Amino acid sequence: MATPALGAGAQLFVIDPIDRLKPAKDSSVALMQAAERAGRPVWIASLADLSAAECPGLLGGRGHGAWVSATPVTCQPWYGLGEPQRLPLEAFAHVWMRKDPPVDEAYLYATHLLELAERHGVTVINRPAALRAWNEKLSSLRWSHLMAPTLVASRVAELAAFTAEHGEVVLKPLGGRAGQGVVFAAAATPGLGALLELVTGMESLPVMVQAFLPGVSAGDKRILLVNGEPLGAVNRVPSGGAGGEFRSNLAVGGQPEATELTPAERAICAELAPALQAEGLFFVGIDVIDGRLSEINVTSPTGIREVERLAGIPLADLTVEKLGRG
């Protein structure tokens, strides 16, 4: 049986439930709508819709390889659903892995299923092996010279010594997202030891601790790179307020503002680009604070809508254009 023809350049987006996506803010929606504008049929699926089979008599003689129960969707206006179909992943020109973290067991197993499809010639964005390898906090350590002073450790004594050395620090859980669980601490913080016990789960999990950068008050810049090229950026300014909120993530109240890239930020992008390209990280969002690399976001980077609105850059359309003719 031949691979079904779904239309030129059909795109599959593996996402969270579509009714939870917010079209005014969500980067996945922006990409889906851009694909539709480019004449590329758009389909959606969840992690649970992915499967693999190795049974020649199954599914009309095509009982092998990676499969998906996918649903066609019209994206403008947002949204309309067609009838689900069971299809080989080979039927799609590109598969976008846009499921939000956490990177849990279900997520990891899905990357293995997508990797099976990749071995059959399917282009997965971002590459499944890279999604597993590039923890969004730890991957930055490949370029530690671009970062603020940083330690990753589980032992309270090591973390406390680092805090004493630098005075003020930020503690980051390695599996966190959108600023969740990020904590400011100082050497003089009462109960610092107890706090370090809490964030490490009594020394059972490593955490990242970084010297606090006061320049974060001026913003945390999200830079979106497509195939290694920076196409746009948005500055996210902490809300501050009575609680002294230092986190700039939009999900915790940070305010987006238009921005331009500095020469130093362009140099960071240029240094990262060869590794991103080599490892199949097509759509990436890096975070830069006061000229220092903070994170490399690869699972489901956000920021498209803010760049489009504040800078007038059609970033989603440019991203789809860079897919080429496939």
Side-chain angles (χ1 to χ4, degrees), residues 51-310:
S51 62
E54 190 55 52
C55 182
L58 189 66
L59 300 166
R62 279 193 53 87
H64 68 278
W67 291 76
V68 63
S69 295
T71 302
V73 57
T74 54
C75 305
Q76 299 171 95
W78 185 252
Y79 58 91
L81 299 177
E83 290 297 319
Q85 296 184 43
R86 184 170 171 79
L87 298 163
L89 284 173
E90 299 158 67
F92 296 94
H94 303 96
V95 176
W96 294 78
M97 179 52 151
R98 291 285 305 176
K99 169 72 175 65
D100 282 343
V103 178
D104 54 14
E105 279 189 282
Y107 187 99
L108 292 173
Y109 293 148
T111 67
H112 286 288
L113 293 172
L114 292 172
E115 197 167 37
L116 176 62
E118 190 178 50
R119 289 199 293 271
H120 285 268
V122 178
T123 298
V124 182
I125 303 169
N126 286 314
R127 185 174 293 165
L131 291 175
R132 292 194 299 271
W134 287 59
N135 175 276
E136 298 185 334
K137 306 293 190 298
L138 294 175
S139 59
S140 301
L141 293 173
R142 301 186 187 201
W143 295 274
S144 58
H145 61 286
L146 300 176
M147 302 173 67
T150 299
L151 170 71
V152 177
S154 302
R155 297 299 184 194
V156 167
E158 292 181 56
L159 297 167
F162 182 94
T163 303
E165 178 183 355
H166 294 282
E168 296 181 330
V169 300
V170 174
L171 298 160
K172 298 180 178 181
L174 298 182
R177 61 176 292 268
Q180 295 172 356
V182 176
V183 177
F184 172 86
T189 298
L192 176 63
L195 174 62
L196 296 175
E197 290 173 352
L198 178 64
V199 298
T200 61
M202 297 301 294
E203 300 189 335
S204 64
L205 288 173
V207 298
M208 176 176 281
V209 57
Q210 293 182 309
F212 178 69
L213 296 174
V216 72
S217 62
D220 176 350
K221 195 170 293 189
R222 165 61 56 88
I223 305 171
L224 293 170
L225 297 94
V226 180
N227 199 27
E229 179 185 353
L231 292 189
V234 61
N235 195 40
R236 302 167 298 177
V237 181
S239 61
E245 179 61 77
F246 70 94
R247 296 174 297 174
S248 56
N249 307 75
L250 302 182
V252 294
Q255 297 300 308
E257 63 179 25
T259 189
E260 298 287 340
L261 295 187
T262 67
E265 289 161 350
R266 291 192 178 277
I268 290 173
C269 294
E271 189 165 342
L272 269 56
L276 300 180
Q277 293 167 338
E279 299 200 31
L281 290 167
F282 178 81
F283 188 73
V284 171
I286 69 169
D287 296 337
V288 177
I289 300 173
D290 199 17
R292 303 288 191 96
L293 177 65
S294 175
E295 295 184 15
I296 302 174
N297 297 273
V298 302
T299 51
S300 183
T302 62
I304 290 179
R305 290 300 198 198
E306 289 76 18
V307 171
E308 291 181 333
R309 177 168 57 85
L310 294 169

